Amino acid sequence: MQRPPPQPSKRKELSLRARALQLLARREHTRAELERKLAPYAEDSAEVQSVLDDFSARGWLSESRAIEQIVHAKRSRFGTARIRQALMAKGVSNESMAPALENLKETEVEAARAVWARKFKTAPGTAADRARQVRFLQSRGFSLDIAMRVVRGAREEDED
């Protein structure tokens, strides 16, 4: 049995504005991220810039909302360094991310304790366990100082 010929995809027929709206309807995007996603469908970069400028003027495209959303999504699992890396990957400038990262540093120890508690139920018994737990926290984007403080604190709590 033969299949009918494929119908032209509606995605190919979408305008640049419609594509941008679809992307923004799913989640917030940074300007650089949206520009990168729309570029293959545009005739020239001026067309993309025009759409992005219009969306920014209407309040549909907001870098601060995108930063807030990324930080909120990643805070329960990662430290400041890893969140900074994620923001940079999305094309956020250092000036834009600085206020959000400052706020994160205030709660860094509590976030590290929460991440540690989900992964490890007990304090490390040996030096090797302690090193493994510290490495885990560092791989999640927490500084060595914070990781050591959390692991030491867990050990002191068990001794009490």
Side-chain angles (χ1 to χ4, degrees), residues 54-132:
D54 180 42
F55 280 24
S56 292
R58 293 174 185 254
W60 297 346
L61 177 63
S62 170
E63 188 116 329
S64 63
R65 282 196 316 259
I67 291 170
E68 186 179 313
Q69 185 181 44
I70 293 166
V71 167
H72 179 72
K74 299 206 177 281
R75 185 50 168 173
S76 64
R77 296 184 336 254
F78 299 114
T80 303
R82 191 81 177 264
I83 293 171
R84 168 181 279 143
Q85 187 178 27
L87 290 169
M88 289 174 69
K90 302 270 186 197
V92 176
S93 68
N94 286 332
E95 298 83 34
S96 299
M97 74 172 82
L101 294 179
E102 278 302 313
N103 292 339
L104 288 178
K105 288 185 181 183
E106 295 172 7
T107 60
E108 187 84 351
V109 174
E110 293 84 23
R113 278 193 187 113
V115 170
W116 178 87
R118 275 195 305 274
K119 176 74 173 175
F120 305 104
K121 305 299 182 224
T122 61
T126 65
D129 285 343
R130 184 172 47 250
R132 184 171 56 86

Side-chain angles (χ1 to χ4, degrees), residues 147-160:
M148 292 295 290
R149 195 177 329 165
V150 167
V151 172
R152 255 191 244 122
R155 188 172 183 178
E156 290 169 4
E157 288 174 9
D158 279 358
E159 291 173 0
D160 289 342

